[in-house]
Amino acid sequence: VCVCVFEMVVEFQIPTDIDGLYATDAGVFSVATDVDVRKISDYTLNEMIKECQIAFIDGTEISENSVFDLLFSVAKNFSSLSATIKYKGFHCLMTGFQLFMGALGSSIDGIAPGTSDGLLMQNCSKMYAYLINVIATKEEADAAKATKHLITAKKSKQKKGSRSEFDWNEGREQALSFLLNFLRMDVARLWPMSCAEEPFVNLISRFVYLALENPEVTKNKDTMEQLTAVLGIMNQKYNHSLACSTSIVHLLPHFEHLSLPMAAMLQQFVQKYNCSNVVDDVLREIGRMDSSDFVKDQSGARYFAAFLTNLGQRIPDTVLPSLSVLLPHLDGEAYPIRNGILRMCGSILQNTLRSNVSDNMKKGREELLAIVEERLIDCSAYVRKTALQVWQNLSSSRSIPLTSLNGIVASCCVRLEDKSSLVRKQAIVFLTTILTNNPYGDKLDLEAFELLYKNAEEKLTALFGDNEQQQETLSVEEEEQQQ
């Protein structure tokens, strides 16, 4: 009994590398038996996993070396195992995790941090999160390979519905579903001050960010909802906001497919989880970046520009207070970033600052209008074209103040003589749009203009008539002189 109690209170420290669990320091949980599952037959290993699964009663058995050591060895060598053993091992881990969540949910209100029960529940939480992270790291690395995508797709079709084969797409969804329910229990209460340790939070977040690196994952609506919910709750309850914004800024320039999903994810953070500070932090991080970095990495600049454009379209009210931190990049050399900021300005003008604004906001609107107008003479033809597109969109939505309309139209008309055909064509499109959406169109008196037209026509006819008489007079005089 004494040994059992001792094992329950031994702290599990999340290792920095996978071999860190082989330490033998007293008072720290470590792997007692290093089981090399690669040298064990599938039949024998399957029986060992069955015994491990039978041992689960309330899920806390994961803290015992007889259970943890085997599951750790399975997770550590997951990539080299057969599909059947992968399925059995992962299913055993999820079974224990599900039982543990049930036990934790019924007792968490009565558990005090620092007690033996609190330490046991804390250890089990970290152990399950750690083992899931080890498996996810290996599987996501394999799934990220282009050849692996094709193989996985074929296998998924051939073996769909089989309960003896492992499909990480299904495993990912199950793991995310369990982690989501787990985080909703507010397990941070197991730590002092209800503040979960950073390595524990990073275990779960790392799983999410690795999954986002896979383009196929971002195409799955259900999986993206799970990933968004996990990060949203972690930002809301587990102090992950700053680390989340840093990770997003790190991922964006490396993965083209993340520009739109990340913007949609931030929208959910704001609207569903009340975490607008993540948006502020992301924009601040982008604003702090050296403009020369965007020149060196043109692809990354395009990805950031697409992200800024989409973010401005989705949550213009939220990005407005932080827009000023991006404006210095308008003086940078990377034209894609200037384009992205211009489109964001256009979205703000078209939505947030369109009408019924205070005097202070009117001043801000005038400043944004001046910024967009200034880009009509940008050194890059692509930026000048984008500026005209922004004016076209503002004209279509009738978001241009009437007091500024004449000056803007005049500035855009100058672009009809631009040296770039792209800009000239866009200027024509803008003028066509401004005529179609003439703000004075419903106030014009047709009869008055018809009268003006008639008078002008009469004057023109009279001018032509006088001209003909003069021509006849000159002809007569010439004939008389010749005679």
Side-chain angles (χ1 to χ4, degrees), residues 36-55:
D36 192 350
V37 294
R38 296 170 295 180
K39 298 180 180 180
I40 302 175
S41 66
D42 281 6
Y43 176 79
T44 304
L45 189 53
N46 187 32
E47 293 299 316
M48 294 172 67
I49 293 174
K50 281 184 179 179
E51 293 178 4
C52 181
Q53 187 165 341
I54 293 173

Side-chain angles (χ1 to χ4, degrees), residues 37-38 42 45 73-75 77-86:
V37 294
R38 296 170 295 180
D42 281 6
L45 189 53
S73 299
V74 170
N77 302 285
F78 205 75
S79 298
S80 60
L81 300 177
S82 66
T84 300
I85 297 300
K86 283 184 177 182

Side-chain angles (χ1 to χ4, degrees), residues 136-164:
T137 300
K138 295 180 179 298
E139 286 299 301
E140 293 296 351
D142 291 339
K145 299 175 183 177
T147 54
K148 185 68 176 178
H149 290 320
L150 299 175
I151 296 173
T152 301
K154 292 179 181 178
K155 286 185 177 180
S156 298
K157 293 180 180 179
Q158 293 172 358
K159 300 180 179 180
K160 186 178 181 180
S162 173
R163 298 187 62 82
S164 61

Side-chain angles (χ1 to χ4, degrees), residues 129 179 182-183 200-208 230 234:
L179 287 172
F182 178 62
L183 292 171
F200 169 73
V201 177
N202 291 339
L203 282 178
I204 301 175
S205 64
R206 190 181 303 125
F207 175 17
V208 176
V230 169
M234 292 179 70

Side-chain angles (χ1 to χ4, degrees), residues 59-77:
T60 57
E61 294 77 15
I62 191 74
S63 63
E64 301 172 8
N65 281 104
S66 59
V67 175
F68 181 86
D69 290 0
L70 176 61
L71 292 177
F72 171 72
S73 299
V74 170
K76 178 182 177 181
N77 302 285

Side-chain angles (χ1 to χ4, degrees), residues 42 47-48 68 106 108 133 162 165 182 211 215 227 232 256-257 268 272 284 312 341 346 361 374 389 416:
D42 281 6
E47 293 299 316
M48 294 172 67
F68 181 86
S106 62
I108 190 171
N133 176 265
S162 173
E165 302 295 347
F182 178 62
L227 294 171
E256 181 179 7
H257 66 276
Q268 290 298 309
K272 193 172 181 180
R284 191 176 299 110
I341 297 173
M361 294 183 71
E374 183 183 10
Q389 288 175 336
L416 292 171

Side-chain angles (χ1 to χ4, degrees), residues 219 274 276 298 334 406 435 478:
K219 296 177 183 177
N274 194 29
S276 59
Q298 288 290 329
N406 289 337
L435 289 173
E478 289 177 356

